[in-house]
Amino acid sequence: TQLLEQSPQFLSIQEGENLTVYCNSSSVFSSLQWYRQEPGEGPVLLVTVVTGGEVKKLKRLTFQFGDARKDSSLHITAAQPGDTGLYLCAGAPRGTGFQKLVFGTGTRLLVSP
Amino acid sequence: KAGVTQTPRYLIKTRGQQVTLSCSPISGHRSVSWYQQTPGQGLQFLFEYFSETQRNKGNFPGRFSGRQFSNSRSEMNVSTLELGDSALYLCASSWDKNTEAFFGQGTRLTVV
């Protein structure tokens, strides 16, 4: 069974601080996605990383895929209250691709003004 | 372009009853996957349908079933509901297995 562990589970910070969320597995994934989810809503796709070592930037968010495609990180610079939410990483296993995603345990972020 | 639509948004059922949830994928998408999200287990894969055929299945009991219609709309059914089936049920659609999946808003099922 493929598992994705995220750390930390909870993060409460002040506006303007930087943070990093980690997503780790012992399994190799063909790609990895990051989602943000608001309470009672579905996850919204932020980014997909495919190549080992790949770095993608989305405004203040920086995503990195590990060289061995087993881990990923999400770094937020100068966090804002609008960044509050549940961040989920999801791996696409080889063979089944995006149709059978393995989700991480989630990181709940609270950014206070 | 309309997103993934799930109906109903909220549902309350009694133990032992059955329930059917519906998912309309993004126009042109042929794959629909279903997930269950609970506070304790997180997001877990239920099953995936492509062109009316179940292509992948997760580790859930046979009480959970689904189907897909020729217009790619999908339904999932849970029979003999248990309290532990209370969850947010999410569906995601994609064009094919090598393209990204987009989620609907989910159906919140409460079993009392």
Side-chain angles (χ1 to χ4, degrees), chain A residues 1 33 35 37 40-43 45 47-48 86 88 95-101 103-104, chain B residues 9 31 33 35 37 43 45 48 55-57 90 94 96-101 103-105:
Chain A
T1 303
Q33 300 182 295
Y35 292 86
Q37 186 178 24
E41 301 291 329
L45 180 63
V47 77
T48 299
L86 178 66
L88 295 159
T96 55
F98 294 102
Q99 278 58 52
K100 191 178 179 181
L101 293 171
F103 276 86
Chain B
R9 287 294 310 277
S31 171
S33 298
Y35 294 82
Q37 186 175 28
L43 264 148
F45 173 79
E48 183 240 349
R55 200 161 59 167
N56 291 290
K57 190 177 188 306
L90 295 158
S94 62
D96 200 352
K97 73 174 184 179
N98 293 321
T99 57
E100 293 160 336
F103 283 82
Q105 292 179 299

Side-chain angles (χ1 to χ4, degrees), chain A residues 39-42, chain B residues 6-11 88 105-109:
Chain A
E41 301 291 329
Chain B
Q6 291 187 245
T7 56
R9 287 294 310 277
Y10 305 94
L11 210 47
L88 181 66
Q105 292 179 299
T107 293
R108 169 72 64 186
L109 171 65

Side-chain angles (χ1 to χ4, degrees), chain B residues 1-61:
Chain B
K1 193 175 186 180
V4 179
T5 303
Q6 291 187 245
T7 56
R9 287 294 310 277
Y10 305 94
L11 210 47
I12 300 176
K13 289 286 187 178
T14 305
R15 267 184 307 175
Q17 286 187 313
Q18 74 165 16
V19 67
T20 300
L21 312 181
S22 179
C23 173
S24 293
I26 292 171
S27 179
H29 285 191
R30 299 180 294 170
S31 171
V32 174
S33 298
W34 288 89
Y35 294 82
Q36 181 196 66
Q37 186 175 28
T38 59
Q41 299 298 319
L43 264 148
Q44 292 186 291
F45 173 79
L46 281 157
F47 30 66
E48 183 240 349
Y49 286 86
F50 181 85
S51 293
E52 302 178 65
T53 301
Q54 187 181 87
R55 200 161 59 167
N56 291 290
K57 190 177 188 306
N59 297 321
F60 278 80

Side-chain angles (χ1 to χ4, degrees), chain A residues 34-73:
Chain A
W34 284 92
Y35 292 86
R36 183 169 71 204
Q37 186 178 24
E38 305 291 338
E41 301 291 329
V44 175
L45 180 63
L46 296 174
V47 77
T48 299
V49 284
V50 179
T51 307
E54 182 177 5
V55 177
K56 279 192 175 179
K57 291 190 176 183
L58 185 67
K59 296 184 181 178
R60 295 175 294 100
L61 279 60
T62 302
F63 305 86
Q64 184 163 7
F65 202 11
D67 291 340
R69 292 190 293 163
K70 292 182 179 181
D71 55 84
S72 181
S73 64

